Amino acid sequence: MEPDRTEDVIAQELAAREVTARFVEVRARIAQACEDAGRDRASVQLVAVSKTFGAEHIAPVIKAGQRVFGENRVQETAGKWPALRAAHPDLELHLIGPLQTNKVREALSLFDVIQTLDRPSLAAALAKELRREGAAPAPRLLVQVNTGEEPQKAGVAPGEVDAFLAECRDTHGLAIDGLMCIPPADEPAAPHFALLAKIAARHGLKTLSMGMSGDFETAIALGATHVRVGSAIFGGR
Ligand SMILES: *Cc1c(COP(=O)(O)O)cnc(C)c1O
């Protein structure tokens, strides 16, 4: 073996070990947060957010036992996940980024869960595609709520969630599993998590996707069923 090739192999091995160590640490922190909150560990799922990272970073995390991953772009997912899926048929993929209506068909072929249902036109496009003969099986759907009412951020305003849920159900026949939010970066997250939990409870929705690397323990304390953790596992992007 050429010396520089050996260095590459060693560097990759070290990187894989680092990712694995961080993953194990995140899992331990989730278990501790569940214990602190008096919650069953099985009631919280880790969605490992692998956006921007290649298969060489993802493979060690799969090897360490993780099966649920989050991606924010359809194109990137189409490029890197089919091979990993073929090797690991029990993987589950969540779309956590905005979905354009013209990518709905492709998204349905790639994702088991779409966490970012955020507008009527997308609900209509999903419903239409799911009615098509030969369509992919229906994914689980979460409605993204713009809890901070930030103009630049996707999501349904808190005051419009009730009407949007009714529209999804009554007009489009879509079953909604729960809610998701991304709190404003410059505010404490807890009030946003509490608001999301309150809206979900009002509708009897059981799935709550909230909490990222910086605040997943807080989210677990406030009822998150899914935490989306990227950089704490894979490193900075
Ligand atoms: C990137 C991303 C995450 C993960 O963020 P980290 O801070 O790296 O854990 C979670 N949710 C969404 C919607 C994201 O886009």
Side-chain angles (χ1 to χ4, degrees):
M1 210 180 253
E2 299 289 320
D4 56 344
R5 178 89 188 95
T6 309
E7 275 176 37
D8 276 358
V9 170
I10 292 170
Q12 251 201 29
E13 172 65 24
L14 288 175
R17 238 183 267 177
E18 248 175 65
V19 170
T20 305
R22 282 193 299 254
F23 167 67
V24 168
E25 164 82 19
V26 165
R27 260 201 327 210
R29 285 171 59 191
I30 291 172
Q32 185 62 52
C34 287
E35 192 177 321
D36 293 347
R39 296 185 56 189
D40 185 347
R41 172 62 186 87
S43 68
V44 179
Q45 274 207 353
L46 168 61
V47 180
V49 176
S50 47
K51 66 190 185 196
T52 77
F53 289 96
E56 72 278 16
H57 296 266
I58 298 170
V61 178
I62 295 175
K63 194 170 170 202
Q66 180 65 17
R67 288 296 177 268
V68 183
F69 290 86
E71 289 283 346
N72 67 337
R73 287 173 196 276
V74 172
Q75 262 357 93
E76 182 182 340
T77 305
K80 77 190 190 196
W81 280 97
L84 288 162
R85 281 245 207 209
H88 305 277
D90 58 341
L91 294 180
E92 182 177 293
L93 276 185
H94 293 228
L95 176 62
I96 60 165
L99 177 55
Q100 294 170 253
T101 50
N102 64 0
K103 298 247 173 74
V104 161
R105 184 172 300 179
E106 192 173 15
L108 289 174
S109 74
L110 292 166
F111 293 100
D112 304 286
V113 181
I114 293 175
Q115 296 204 2
T116 49
L117 174 48
D118 60 357
R119 59 196 192 279
S121 61
L122 180 58
L126 281 165
K128 183 172 177 218
E129 176 59 24
L130 288 169
R131 279 194 304 268
R132 193 177 59 86
E133 193 164 345
R140 293 179 353 245
L141 296 173
L142 306 186
V143 167
Q144 181 175 353
V145 182
N146 187 358
T147 56
E149 305 200 49
E150 297 171 279
Q152 82 286 5
K153 197 168 274 178
V156 180
E160 287 162 13
V161 175
D162 296 9
F164 185 63
L165 287 171
E167 180 178 350
C168 287
R169 184 187 59 226
D170 302 335
T171 308
H172 302 297
L174 294 173
I176 304 299
D177 265 30
L179 306 177
M180 172 274 211
C181 76
I182 310 170
D186 56 353
E187 286 180 28
H192 295 273
F193 296 157
L195 173 62
L196 197 73
K198 194 174 151 203
I199 299 171
R202 189 162 80 218
H203 291 279
L205 296 170
K206 58 186 185 336
T207 303
L208 273 178
S209 173
M210 55 191 202
M212 318 200 300
S213 289
D215 51 26
F216 65 84
E217 282 119 332
T218 304
I220 289 170
L222 290 165
T225 62
H226 292 71
V227 292
R228 311 178 307 266
V229 180
S231 48
I233 298 170
F234 293 101
R237 289 181 293 267

